[in-house]
Amino acid sequence: MDLKQLNAFIAVAELRSFSAAATKIGLSQPSLSRLLKQLETDMGVMLIDRYHRPLHLTEAGTFFYDKISTILTEMDTVVGMTQRLSAPSSALNIGFVPSILYGLLPEIIATLKQSNPEIDVNLKDISSYQQIEALKSGDIDIGFGRFAHQDPWIQQILLRHERYVVALPKAHPLANVREQRLIDLANNRLILYHQTHLPVSTVPETVPETVSSTGTHKTLGQNKKNTSHHQVSATEQVKEPLLYLFAQYGISPFMTTTVSDLQVALGLVAAGEGITLVPASLKTVRTEQISYQRLIHENVTSPIYLHTLKDFVHPNIPDLLRATYHVYEQRGITYRRQKFESQR
Ligand code: BEZ
């Protein structure tokens, strides 16, 4: 069994056509068929059902495709990592989710540059899940995000938990109330903005029974551009990050509006269209129209994670972690110091 045979098999499995697969991998159709026949003979297993159209895999072929495509993807990752190890890029490529940029990231980069004046940093706005693929492909060396990831290639450092604050329009009756409770906010339209939802494993097996402050859910009338209004379903309540925070207290907000990102959500709050919860580092945004208030609940927080490859190759990655801790110490922020696996 060799790589050529495996690539031929993957192409046929994905394209369901001998001629399309032959074109894709740059072979004649007879050569492709020979490779596949040889693979099946070597394994002593029929992988492709050639007697029915459209062409499809046998049960054994489907099993083999699932497993071997994962292995070949991993092999590409290893080849890419090895190439980067022998010729590391001088620039440090950092992926971040937008809510991180409003907080300490600029200060952390400035601290890193002070101790490493020659360093070249590229910042890339990438969603939490895409950061994992970007780390494996070498597009970024390090990623800052707000969601945990379990991946055999990735190491994760929990930097800290940042408290959420409530963002209310300045004219809102609760705008000047300090130390707010979620139950008192449940009667408002909550603006949701997360693109990434909690992984299914985070969701409790049984959905907690929820109560709304009015006992009913309302759907709003007309949709606005870039927004969608809908009745809240039980599953969404626990997978959507903000609804999950409310659901932890058995609360279901009165109504919700979903928008494309954090900036749009704060724009709607500023326009008096509803309220939202944002990490505390956002509380300098649009302060003329928005009042930010603390929540009494200590566990209503958003974690900040650093992700990198387990076998990270860029020499400045530990410097970036040191710069982060330095900024935390200067600002008196509570955190638990951790080390990369390779430094333990
Ligand atoms: C923070 O706010 O804790 C943070 C922001 C960006 C990078 C690392 C940490």
Side-chain angles (χ1 to χ4, degrees), residues 100 103-105 108 144 146 159-160 162 281 304 324 328:
I100 298 279
L104 302 177
L105 188 59
I108 291 169
F144 291 110
R146 292 188 182 266
L159 293 171
R160 68 179 176 115
E162 183 177 14
S281 52
I304 301 179
T324 304
Y328 287 170

Side-chain angles (χ1 to χ4, degrees), residues 40-327:
E40 291 180 317
T41 309
D42 289 353
M43 291 178 73
V45 176
M46 195 153 109
L47 300 170
I48 299 164
D49 176 353
R50 293 171 175 77
Y51 306 104
H52 295 99
R53 288 286 176 270
L55 177 154
H56 61 271
L57 303 182
T58 60
E59 195 185 338
T62 304
F63 173 83
F64 187 59
Y65 170 75
D66 283 349
K67 302 295 171 201
I68 210 71
S69 56
T70 309
I71 292 171
L72 290 182
T73 306
E74 298 230 322
M75 214 176 83
D76 282 347
T77 304
V78 173
V79 170
M81 281 165 64
T82 310
Q83 287 164 338
R84 295 199 297 281
L85 187 65
S86 80
S89 93
S90 55
L92 182 64
N93 296 306
I94 303 174
F96 65 91
V97 294
S99 66
I100 298 279
L101 192 60
Y102 293 96
L104 302 177
L105 188 59
E107 199 175 328
I108 291 169
I109 302 296
T111 306
L112 175 72
K113 285 185 172 170
Q114 253 167 24
S115 54
N116 301 64
E118 72 301 335
I119 198 170
D120 192 8
V121 169
N122 294 324
L123 293 173
K124 300 186 181 185
D125 164 7
I126 312 187
S127 79
S128 236
Y129 285 117
Q130 283 168 351
Q131 284 184 17
I132 302 306
E133 290 318 307
L135 284 167
K136 290 184 190 172
S137 68
D139 281 350
I140 57 172
D141 301 298
I142 196 158
F144 291 110
R146 292 188 182 266
F147 289 89
H149 295 285
Q150 307 296 330
D151 187 293
W153 292 99
I154 302 294
Q155 64 182 322
Q156 163 174 296
I157 288 187
L158 172 62
L159 293 171
R160 68 179 176 115
H161 286 279
E162 183 177 14
R163 282 182 79 152
Y164 272 104
V165 292
V166 54
L168 308 118
K170 276 268 162 85
H172 194 283
L174 295 177
N176 297 317
V177 176
R178 306 205 181 281
E179 306 284 320
Q180 308 224 3
R181 299 180 310 159
L182 290 178
I183 189 68
D184 300 329
L185 299 170
N187 209 7
N188 291 271
R189 182 189 303 174
L190 179 68
I191 300 168
L192 309 174
Y193 54 83
H194 284 92
Q195 298 307 302
T196 308
H197 281 195
L198 298 167
V200 179
S201 58
T202 321
V203 177
E205 292 269 302
T206 47
V207 176
E209 206 165 289
T210 55
V211 290
S212 78
S213 52
T214 58
T216 55
H217 295 298
K218 285 205 176 167
T219 12
L220 296 172
Q222 281 191 316
N223 276 6
K224 290 206 176 73
K225 195 166 180 249
N226 226 3
T227 68
S228 66
H229 308 293
H230 59 276
Q231 204 152 2
V232 177
S233 82
T235 329
E236 275 178 317
Q237 281 176 330
V238 286
K239 283 192 194 158
E240 200 294 323
L242 295 189
L243 292 179
Y244 184 72
L245 297 173
F246 279 87
Q248 279 180 306
Y249 291 88
I251 305 165
S252 168
F254 178 57
M255 52 178 102
T256 62
T257 294
T258 303
V259 298
S260 56
D261 66 33
L262 192 55
Q263 274 296 349
V264 180
L266 289 176
L268 289 197
V269 174
E273 291 279 299
I275 65 158
T276 193
L277 304 184
V278 292
S281 52
L282 273 288
K283 66 185 182 195
T284 52
V285 179
R286 289 183 180 267
T287 47
E288 277 181 17
Q289 299 106 4
I290 300 178
S291 163
Y292 296 92
Q293 297 295 354
R294 270 173 68 97
L295 293 161
I296 57 161
H297 318 280
E298 281 187 7
N299 62 342
V300 176
T301 58
S302 172
I304 301 179
Y305 292 101
L306 177 161
H307 289 106
T308 184
L309 288 174
K310 277 190 181 148
D311 304 285
F312 69 83
V313 288
H314 201 290
N316 291 118
I317 290 176
D319 298 333
L320 184 57
L321 184 62
R322 262 193 297 280
T324 304
Y325 290 155
H326 181 76
V327 169

